[in-house]
Amino acid sequence: MEHSNEVRKILNVGVITVSDTRTFETDKGGKAVIEHLNHIDIQVDKEHYMIVPDDKADINHAIHKLLNDNVDVIITTGGTGVAKRDVTIEVVSSIIDKEMEGFGEIFRYLSYTEDVGTRAMLSRALCGTKENTVIFSIPGSVGAVNLAMTKLISQEIHHIVHELNK
């Protein structure tokens, strides 16, 4: 592949965990994202790892802080389901310029075939772009994080950023 992860621009990545109950000590999903990024030689600066409550204003503020810091990629975990408090997708959808529908479609397919079966239909995983930043919104469970990071995000993160900036 011409612009695979072999083309290694140093990426500036932000991670936002959306949860009313997680702390930095108990945030397994956010830590799993960071571990997967470390495996492909991407470090997340401490100030670019946040935990925010399931609240539209808080999520919006965190995403805009990272956008103002000119990160290349934002990965949110949590708040992607159908419960009343799950509002991450609504916020991200209101921010992005373009949605990459294939990400959510493939994520749900893989979730169905490799992880949770028919419960995959409850996931509203999303990926889109805002100017030169790609935003991935994935469920907060460690299983979903591992699936998204291993099968999709880690495979294409450099390529997507390259495409956004060419």
Side-chain angles (χ1 to χ4, degrees), residues 1-164:
M1 193 181 316
E2 183 181 336
H3 298 292
S4 70
N5 282 339
E6 298 302 314
V7 179
R8 296 279 184 182
K9 175 189 181 224
I10 296 174
L11 299 181
N12 190 4
V13 179
V15 176
I16 302 169
T17 295
V18 178
S19 174
D20 288 330
T21 60
R22 299 287 186 263
T23 66
F24 288 106
E25 292 77 33
T26 63
D27 179 24
K28 294 179 184 176
K31 287 179 183 170
V33 169
I34 292 169
E35 287 174 24
H36 282 281
L37 292 170
N38 288 337
H39 287 307
I40 58 170
D41 298 320
I42 297 173
Q43 306 301 313
V44 176
D45 293 339
K46 217 173 198 179
E47 66 271 10
H48 291 160
Y49 169 40
M50 300 175 238
I51 299 176
V52 300
D54 291 283
D55 176 79
K56 286 182 179 182
D58 290 327
I59 299 165
N60 189 59
H61 181 266
I63 291 171
H64 278 92
K65 182 213 179 297
L66 292 173
L67 290 169
N68 289 335
D69 285 352
N70 295 313
V71 298
D72 300 298
V73 178
I74 298 169
I75 302 172
T76 73
T77 67
T80 63
V82 297
K84 287 182 177 126
R85 295 286 297 162
D86 293 331
V87 294
T88 302
I89 299 305
E90 286 73 20
V91 175
V92 173
S93 293
S94 74
I95 293 171
I96 60 174
D97 300 320
K98 294 182 181 181
E99 182 178 348
M100 296 190 306
E101 292 89 352
F103 175 80
E105 294 165 356
I106 295 170
F107 176 79
R108 283 180 286 281
Y109 170 77
L110 291 171
S111 293
Y112 173 74
T113 60
E114 298 185 21
D115 193 19
V116 296
T118 55
R119 289 185 182 174
M121 74 174 81
L122 298 173
S123 173
R124 299 183 304 140
L126 174 81
C127 178
T129 62
K130 175 65 174 177
E131 297 172 3
N132 291 341
T133 301
V134 61
I135 303 173
F136 295 97
S137 293
I138 59 178
S141 74
V142 174
V145 167
N146 289 337
L147 182 70
M149 293 301 298
T150 302
K151 299 284 186 162
L152 298 171
I153 297 172
S154 294
Q155 301 295 317
E156 296 298 330
I157 192 169
H158 283 90
H159 180 72
I160 295 168
V161 171
H162 170 82
E163 289 295 313
L164 277 176

